[in-house]
Amino acid sequence: MKLTRWESPWTTQRLRACRERSVVRTPLSFLKGGETGTIAKVRGRGDLHHHLETLGFVEGAQVTVVSEAAGDLIVEVKGIQVALNRQVAAHIITN
């Protein structure tokens, strides 16, 4: 394989690996009512991150959007329903 001046073996290898892992990650705020996702990552620092983990938003947990209204989401995670605004929901990344 011939590489151009701007490519390196490392870059080519990394791009290939990214294509193989074609998992689409979406913020929870993009899911619609009735859709389910698996939490891949909780972004944010300090109090927000800790608060979301305390509510059950941890990697690997299933989350379902129960309803959405006026920019807020009601989601179910680990058997409980939690209301989140879209700004907070954007910190939760799903597969």
Side-chain angles (χ1 to χ4, degrees), residues 61-74:
Q62 291 287 326
V63 61
T64 303
V65 177
V66 177
S67 68
E68 51 183 325
D72 296 329
L73 299 174
I74 298 177

Side-chain angles (χ1 to χ4, degrees), residues 24-94:
V24 178
R25 295 190 177 205
T26 307
L28 179 58
S29 58
F30 287 8
L31 297 183
K32 302 295 180 198
E35 292 184 335
T36 300
T38 303
I39 297 174
K41 184 173 184 167
V42 179
R43 297 185 310 180
R45 295 188 181 151
D47 292 340
L48 176 62
H49 190 269
H50 179 70
H51 182 62
L52 290 172
E53 283 185 338
T54 302
L55 291 173
F57 294 96
V58 294
E59 291 182 23
Q62 291 287 326
V63 61
T64 303
V65 177
V66 177
S67 68
E68 51 183 325
D72 296 329
L73 299 174
I74 298 177
V75 299
E76 184 172 322
V77 61
K78 295 192 172 190
I80 61 167
Q81 291 186 358
V82 180
L84 300 172
N85 66 24
R86 289 209 185 265
Q87 290 83 11
V88 173
H91 285 87
I92 302 167
I93 307 301
T94 63

Side-chain angles (χ1 to χ4, degrees), residues 4-38:
T4 66
R5 187 172 109 176
W6 303 105
E7 294 178 313
S8 71
W10 182 86
T11 304
T12 305
Q13 184 180 26
R14 181 155 176 140
L15 287 172
R16 190 175 302 126
C18 287
R19 284 189 204 114
E20 290 171 1
R21 285 185 286 136
S22 62
V23 175
V24 178
R25 295 190 177 205
T26 307
L28 179 58
S29 58
F30 287 8
L31 297 183
K32 302 295 180 198
E35 292 184 335
T36 300
T38 303

